Amino acid sequence: MSRVIGIDLGTTNSCVTVIENGQPTVIPNAGGYRTTPSMFAISHDGKRLVGHLAKRQAITNSRNTVYASKRLIGRRFDSAEVQKAIDLCPFEIVRGANDDPRIKIAGKTFTCPEIAGIILREMKRVAEEYIGEPVSEAVITVPAYFNDTQRQSTKDAGKIAGLEVLRIINEPTAAAMAYGATNRSEEKIAIYDLGGGTFDISVLDMSDGVIEVLATAGNTFLGGEDFDRRIVMHLLERFQEEESIDLRTDPMALQRLKDAAEKAKCDLSSRESTEVSLPFISSDDSGPRHLQLELDRGTLESLVDDLVQGTVKTVEACVQDAGLTPGDVDRVILVGGQTRMPLIQKTAGEFFGKGPHKGVNPDEVVAIGAAMQAEALVSDDKDLLLLDVTPLSLGIATAGGHFAKLIERNTTVPVRKTHIFTTTRDNQTAVKIRVLQGESDVAADNDLLGEFVLSGIRPAPQGGPEIDVCFDIDANGIVSVSATDLSTGKEQSITVNATGTLSQDEIQKIIEEHELYEVELKA
Amino acid sequence: MAAGGGAGAIGARTPRLASDCDLEGLDLSPAEGFLLSRIDGHTPQALLRQVGGLPPDEVDRCIERWAESGLLVFVSSGPPARSGEGDSGFGEASASAARAPVAIDPQLEISAEAQQAALAMDAGLERPYHEILGVEPDADVRTIKRAYFGLSKEFHPDRYFRRDIGPYADVVERVFRRIVEAYELLSDPATRAEVQRDLAAAAQAPPEPQPEPPLETPAEEPAAEISRPRKRRTGPRPFSPLTRAFAQRRAKAKSFFEAGMAAYAEGRWLEAAGSVRLAIAFDPRNAVYKSRFVDVRQKVADVRFEQLTKEADSAMTFRDRGDALKLYEEALHYKPFDPQVNHTAARLAWLVADDPRRAKEYAVRACEVEPEQPEYRKTLGMIYKAAGLKANARRELQCALRLNPKDDEARAELKSL
């Protein structure tokens, strides 16, 4: 049997893990790094670069270097998040055929699953070089708050990378699995996961290898990158005050500032103050200008305090959703590089009334958990079991623009729920079933996963016909919806293939294209 | 389930009533009658110890005695465990519909023990929630959670991820859903109070369709009677215990059948098949159930066929074609004479599995169903050719050419013979 791997496909960095003799091993890439930047670039001479190579040339080639594309995957072009990204990213984001955001670099347009696929392919390659044999199956993690479209798109990315995705699991859940594999006592734990681009909180109950997700919540548009951006803005303002030069229009300067901001942020996790020094950042008539500033921890904390407080609100809601109080939580585990920040450790510690658990590496624990889930699925040793939940409520749009939830969020999967609906007009012969995901009572505020029409309803006064709508989520999280006219037995159903994601044909085309490209590289 | 205990082997075996058993001459206490009514060919002895309403060792002793007297036999863990029972109704292996007769099958990647455990749980899904979890009605949340975790380890579908467990995939998933339901209702104090109210109400006023006391109630009462067997003789006995047990089983069968027909009317074929199957299990002699089951099974077969071919089609585009072949072959179980699927299976068996004999069978069948289809003829001809049967190959290829004279490939193949 070939080996299965776990991949943490992060906003800024990705990590791959395999289980060897029952122990998880984080696989270093060729450069010896245990995580690989989730970056992709096309260099000036047309070469495709991934990971550290892409990152290294990002400063001089910022328009053709893609980073943080995970923030765009599975979203609609018109969504606020994508529009925000368009303002901030140095690379071009264009509208795709399915109203999805696509990334245009070096004259070529890529879909987001394609970019993610390129990064996954790199991680697959890293694993194959280490293991010494082909790898074809993986568990990939996503933020807990990813909706179905974002999950499907990530799955598509796996296919594009030549991986069969055994399961998509949530990042905090993966972290809990890694923890639960070695800590088998009966505990309630909270996973506070602040990564490069997303924030997740999950509360879980575990005992002897069984892990039950009690509740999960998060924000897919808040992460370490936002912290960096606050620092960049701060540096920009200070530089403008001192030198009267606006660096906002200079992509190369921006990229340097971004790198410096990230570095300063990391420094301030262990030190009280740090120096930001960027010589020759700009120039004017009087010659070259340098940026040289002192940044202390207090300043950083005041810059990002509202972001950190924002996470506390989400944590509060999640703990309440789980039917617990902060004191009921036995252990708090911090995941994601951003949680190295002392302010976050302090804030989480204060909220739960206990210091965070120190035993895990916040950059690697998610990938380790992913590999453990992969292993638990395919191996005969069924010692670890994850009782996963749906992250968002599911239902259909009803008359008047309302949202009728059929499956509440945090319901354990697999699950099936049915409900009877009826017509709103006399002699109505067809109904449109619009499948939505989200928490708002207003249909339009939720994500549309798919829609279909049930026709051939026998003419009757309004409210007469009975239409049975059944939602089914299987253990793999695949949603299928069927509607049946109870009087005629006529049935229509869909397996939700979310709108905005790629069709099977498109994926196939991309796979073939990339296969061609691989040939090109070797030649 | 906390199955087995010390006497694991005995606990794992599953008794059922012998088809020719003579119930007339028996003299049983109500408690024994109740135990007998629990014996349905699904429930293993370990579970009977818990739900039989008698102390566990008493259960073992009764079963031993009845087995010796020929009243009971044990369901063997060999293949068609139930073929002797339902005769014409549902024993045929040929068209085993998705949710329909599930027998112990050692070929599957699920142990016979686990199969029995799953069937036992499946047969008991209508029990009160706390019984499903195997806890006391007043168990605390922690105990409930532990029971839930334990059962999850056994019945979560992930346990059989990618394993070929045939019809047990549905059984396990159904059981797991119910376990979750039980856990969710009992672990929340509000819903739990409701469940307990319902239970108490059911114990006081038996529901309409069942003239006899509901199945759950006799648990404590007969235990008291056992200790003073003499007294029993003095009172009038409206039912002999067995008549009562069978009446209960028939009532239960009827309610399953009605549920099945309701599901059928609403097009939920799988559910209908499951319910009707249960009805037959509880009342094997009812001809109406059996005849309706044929219809229902056909519907299920249609649905399964459609699902499988759809899966196979997507396997063709995505995964390896070996998978697709397996799926098409499974689909053919449900509709053995679909010409198109036979044709595709033939091509895959020949080109992917490199099994010309199997390929030939499928191709021949496709041609039998649609003799005028040149593609089918050509495929059959090419398969014959690959197998070295030149005369047959020539005949089929000529036939293909006659039906479609423009087929250059067939012409070339014929020429190269």
Side-chain angles (χ1 to χ4, degrees):
Chain A
M1 192 179 66
S2 79
R3 307 284 283 279
V4 291
I5 54 175
I7 302 177
D8 170 10
L9 177 61
T11 308
T12 44
N13 289 298
S14 296
C15 182
V16 59
T17 302
V18 68
I19 306 289
E20 287 185 307
N21 307 321
Q23 290 303 312
T25 306
V26 176
I27 305 176
N29 62 25
Y33 297 99
R34 291 158 74 84
T35 60
T36 300
S38 306
M39 292 172 91
F40 168 63
I42 298 184
S43 70
H44 296 303
D45 55 358
K47 274 205 192 109
R48 294 182 173 202
L49 306 170
V50 190
H52 285 99
L53 291 179
K55 188 171 186 178
R56 211 164 293 152
Q57 53 85 67
I59 291 186
T60 53
N61 188 26
S62 60
R63 284 193 60 78
N64 295 319
T65 303
V66 185
Y67 64 88
S69 64
K70 185 177 172 183
R71 292 190 158 190
L72 306 173
I73 198 167
R75 293 189 186 276
R76 293 177 159 268
F77 185 79
D78 294 316
S79 67
E81 291 87 347
V82 172
Q83 293 303 316
K84 187 173 155 199
I86 289 173
D87 286 346
L88 294 167
C89 291
F91 49 86
E92 195 179 346
I93 301 172
V94 298
R95 186 189 292 271
N98 302 328
D99 267 338
D100 56 325
R102 297 195 182 177
I103 291 160
K104 195 170 172 188
I105 55 171
K108 193 172 174 351
T109 308
F110 295 88
T111 63
C112 292
E114 210 170 346
I115 302 272
I118 290 168
I119 292 155
L120 289 172
R121 184 181 284 263
E122 175 70 10
M123 302 316 287
K124 173 175 181 254
R125 204 182 52 76
V126 166
E128 285 172 343
E129 269 174 22
Y130 177 86
I131 299 169
E133 60 185 64
V135 171
S136 59
E137 296 169 336
V139 167
I140 301 175
T141 60
V142 295
Y145 235 48
F146 255 27
N147 68 21
D148 198 64
T149 316
Q150 291 166 302
R151 283 162 203 266
Q152 291 277 3
S153 300
T154 306
K155 236 179 176 174
D156 292 347
K159 275 182 198 153
I160 290 169
L163 286 168
E164 189 184 331
V165 181
L166 297 176
R167 185 73 50 90
I168 295 282
I169 62 169
N170 296 333
E171 287 156 10
T173 313
M177 286 202 84
Y179 175 80
T182 48
N183 300 270
R184 306 185 71 86
S185 55
E186 202 168 324
E187 293 183 2
K188 291 189 172 58
I189 66 170
I191 308 277
Y192 179 108
D193 178 359
L194 188 56
T198 54
F199 169 65
D200 278 337
I201 171 79
S202 287
V203 178
L204 305 100
D205 196 347
M206 56 174 62
S207 167
D208 197 26
V210 181
I211 294 156
E212 184 198 9
V213 182
L214 295 176
T216 196
N219 179 349
T220 44
F221 235 77
L222 169 69
E225 299 253 339
D226 297 286
F227 287 60
D228 296 351
R229 198 166 299 126
R230 291 286 172 87
I231 301 172
V232 169
M233 295 311 272
H234 174 73
L235 297 176
L236 281 170
E237 281 162 19
R238 293 275 302 273
F239 190 72
Q240 191 162 19
E241 268 167 35
E242 284 171 25
E243 306 283 346
S244 303
I245 296 176
D246 185 4
L247 296 175
R248 284 184 182 81
T249 52
D250 181 348
M252 265 169 66
L254 276 177
Q255 189 64 43
R256 284 184 75 182
L257 277 167
K258 194 174 158 324
D259 290 350
E262 192 185 335
K263 188 173 166 299
K265 180 182 77 177
C266 295
D267 282 352
L268 289 176
S269 289
S270 52
R271 269 186 280 164
E272 281 299 330
S273 104
T274 186
E275 190 183 32
V276 181
S277 170
L278 295 167
F280 307 103
I281 186 94
S282 185
S283 66
D284 61 9
D285 302 340
S286 60
R289 294 302 171 89
H290 316 298
L291 185 150
Q292 191 130 22
L293 290 169
E294 219 22 58
L295 193 64
D296 63 40
R297 193 184 278 175
T299 310
L300 172 63
E301 290 182 351
S302 68
L303 288 174
V304 299
D305 190 56
D306 62 315
L307 298 179
V308 177
Q309 291 313 316
T311 67
V312 173
K313 286 212 184 70
T314 314
V315 172
E316 221 164 13
C318 182
V319 171
Q320 199 176 354
D321 246 13
L324 302 176
T325 62
D328 293 336
V329 173
D330 299 305
R331 203 169 290 275
V332 183
I333 297 173
L334 301 182
V335 177
Q338 188 58 51
T339 60
R340 289 207 171 83
M341 186 180 193
L343 175 64
I344 287 173
Q345 303 193 349
K346 185 171 135 253
T347 308
E350 275 169 7
F351 180 82
F352 287 104
K354 52 185 71 73
H357 176 68
K358 300 276 181 201
V360 301
N361 179 327
D363 296 322
E364 298 171 354
V365 65
V366 169
I368 289 172
M372 290 191 148
Q373 170 71 331
E375 190 74 9
L377 287 175
V378 300
S379 79
D380 293 322
D381 178 22
K382 297 289 181 190
D383 206 29
L384 259 186
L385 174 72
L386 171 62
L387 300 169
D388 213 348
V389 299
T390 58
L392 294 162
S393 300
L394 276 169
I396 66 172
T398 58
H402 298 295
F403 176 41
K405 288 179 189 168
L406 269 92
I407 297 181
E408 293 281 339
R409 69 162 183 268
N410 294 329
T411 304
T412 305
V413 291
V415 62
R416 177 182 298 151
K417 292 270 162 76
T418 62
H419 205 280
I420 292 177
F421 293 89
T422 188
T423 53
T424 55
R425 285 179 289 112
D426 289 342
N427 299 326
Q428 186 177 343
T429 57
V431 289
K432 191 177 208 178
I433 307 290
R434 292 162 51 84
V435 180
L436 302 174
Q437 185 172 41
E439 304 309 322
S440 170
D441 291 332
V442 181
D445 292 346
N446 296 299
D447 293 319
L448 177 67
L449 293 185
E451 53 188 13
F452 62 96
V453 172
L454 176 69
S455 56
I457 298 169
R458 207 177 296 147
Q462 71 171 75
E466 294 192 320
I467 296 143
D468 181 282
V469 177
C470 175
F471 269 66
D472 187 294
I473 308 179
D474 71 7
N476 288 307
I478 305 296
V479 179
S480 42
V481 183
S482 64
T484 312
D485 178 354
L486 293 183
S487 64
T488 62
K490 211 171 146 102
E491 185 187 320
Q492 273 294 328
S493 64
I494 51 167
T495 296
V496 172
N497 182 12
T499 54
T501 53
L502 301 171
S503 70
Q504 309 264 321
D505 286 349
E506 284 170 301
I507 293 172
Q508 195 56 35
K509 216 180 276 167
I510 292 172
I511 293 173
E512 280 162 19
E513 230 170 76
H514 282 262
E515 273 165 4
L516 280 178
Y517 170 70
E518 286 240 298
V519 173
E520 202 175 292
L521 249 185
K522 283 169 194 156
Chain B
M1 239 36 292
I10 294 179
R13 64 186 190 175
T14 302
R16 68 171 173 82
L17 292 180
S19 45
D20 56 351
C21 71
D22 176 21
L23 305 170
E24 298 300 311
L26 288 170
D27 184 16
L28 301 177
S29 72
E32 290 166 332
F34 176 73
L35 172 62
L36 198 61
S37 76
R38 310 274 85 179
I39 293 172
D40 56 3
H42 289 301
T43 315
Q45 193 160 335
L47 193 61
L48 288 168
R49 289 190 193 126
Q50 293 175 29
V51 304
L54 283 172
D57 51 344
E58 191 76 36
V59 168
D60 285 353
R61 238 174 307 139
C62 285
I63 290 176
E64 210 50 51
R65 206 172 63 231
W66 294 337
E68 269 167 30
S69 66
L71 180 65
L72 297 180
V73 294
F74 292 99
V75 178
S76 71
S77 52
R82 336 192 48 234
S83 57
E85 195 180 7
D87 43 68
S88 68
F90 60 103
E92 304 130 327
S94 64
S96 58
R99 237 186 103 167
V102 179
I104 306 291
D105 179 353
Q107 307 285 36
L108 298 174
E109 292 176 83
I110 166 172
S111 71
E113 225 166 62
Q115 292 181 32
Q116 282 188 346
L119 288 179
M121 279 300 277
D122 194 32
L125 292 186
E126 301 305 318
R127 288 178 293 155
Y129 290 114
H130 67 269
E131 280 186 29
I132 290 174
L133 294 181
V135 299
E136 294 299 317
D138 57 351
D140 62 13
V141 176
R142 208 179 157 93
T143 311
I144 290 169
K145 188 191 84 188
R146 282 194 187 142
Y148 166 60
F149 277 19
L151 289 168
S152 295
K153 266 195 170 171
E154 217 173 319
F155 296 108
H156 193 287
D158 275 359
R159 207 189 135 80
Y160 301 104
F161 186 77
R162 282 212 188 146
R163 303 274 194 286
D164 174 18
I165 61 167
Y168 286 91
D170 286 337
V171 176
V172 167
E173 183 148 339
R174 189 162 56 236
V175 166
F176 181 69
R177 282 183 215 276
R178 190 71 169 179
I179 291 168
V180 172
E181 190 180 324
Y183 170 66
E184 281 177 352
L185 291 174
L186 295 185
S187 58
D188 180 337
T191 47
R192 181 177 182 169
E194 223 167 279
V195 168
Q196 276 168 339
R197 262 201 307 281
D198 288 353
L199 206 60
Q204 289 200 336
E208 294 296 74
Q210 292 184 338
E212 282 80 42
L215 290 166
E216 287 75 29
T217 44
E220 310 95 327
E221 181 207 2
E225 286 197 60
I226 280 175
S227 56
R228 22 188 183 96
R230 298 279 158 219
K231 267 193 177 170
R232 198 188 53 206
R233 303 230 170 256
T234 60
R237 280 209 288 166
F239 288 105
S240 93
L242 274 177
T243 326
R244 170 185 287 202
F246 284 119
Q248 282 179 355
R249 291 176 67 100
R250 274 197 299 277
K252 190 125 189 160
K254 187 160 169 261
S255 70
F256 276 124
F257 181 72
E258 279 161 4
M261 286 300 104
Y264 185 84
E266 290 164 16
R268 299 197 305 273
W269 317 123
L270 286 177
E271 214 176 306
S275 298
V276 178
R277 177 183 64 82
L278 278 171
I280 296 172
F282 279 102
D283 187 1
R285 291 181 197 164
N286 191 313
V288 176
Y289 299 171
K290 285 181 191 171
S291 75
R292 288 315 301 265
F293 188 63
V294 175
D295 285 1
V296 177
R297 198 171 48 191
Q298 187 52 47
K299 290 288 188 199
V300 171
D302 291 350
V303 172
R304 277 300 283 161
F305 177 80
E306 207 173 298
Q307 280 172 348
L308 285 162
T309 50
K310 220 183 266 174
E311 265 176 57
D313 291 345
S314 77
M316 283 288 273
T317 41
F318 263 106
R319 279 171 289 150
D320 74 333
R321 299 197 289 176
D323 262 10
L325 175 58
K326 266 187 232 152
L327 289 163
Y328 283 126
E329 286 181 325
E330 210 185 326
L332 285 175
H333 276 298
Y334 296 105
K335 276 195 190 171
F337 296 104
D338 185 282
Q340 225 175 337
V341 172
N342 268 303
H343 178 241
T344 317
R347 291 189 63 92
L348 288 171
W350 168 37
L351 297 169
V352 180
D354 198 23
D355 184 348
R357 183 175 303 183
R358 195 152 44 125
K360 190 207 82 185
E361 270 174 39
Y362 294 133
V364 166
R365 198 177 295 162
C367 290
E368 278 170 5
V369 181
E370 280 189 24
E372 301 291 289
Q373 177 55 255
E375 275 301 305
Y376 300 171
R377 292 285 179 189
K378 182 171 72 177
T379 300
L380 180 57
M382 284 156 77
I383 291 167
Y384 274 135
K385 188 182 157 205
L389 298 166
K390 289 193 180 173
N392 285 344
R394 190 165 295 128
R395 187 188 67 225
E396 294 302 327
L397 287 168
Q398 277 165 351
C399 181
L401 265 182
R402 198 183 63 241
L403 293 166
N404 177 13
K406 281 185 218 149
D407 190 335
D408 294 334
E409 195 188 5
R411 197 182 306 281
E413 288 284 335
L414 190 57
K415 205 173 255 175
S416 73
L417 263 171

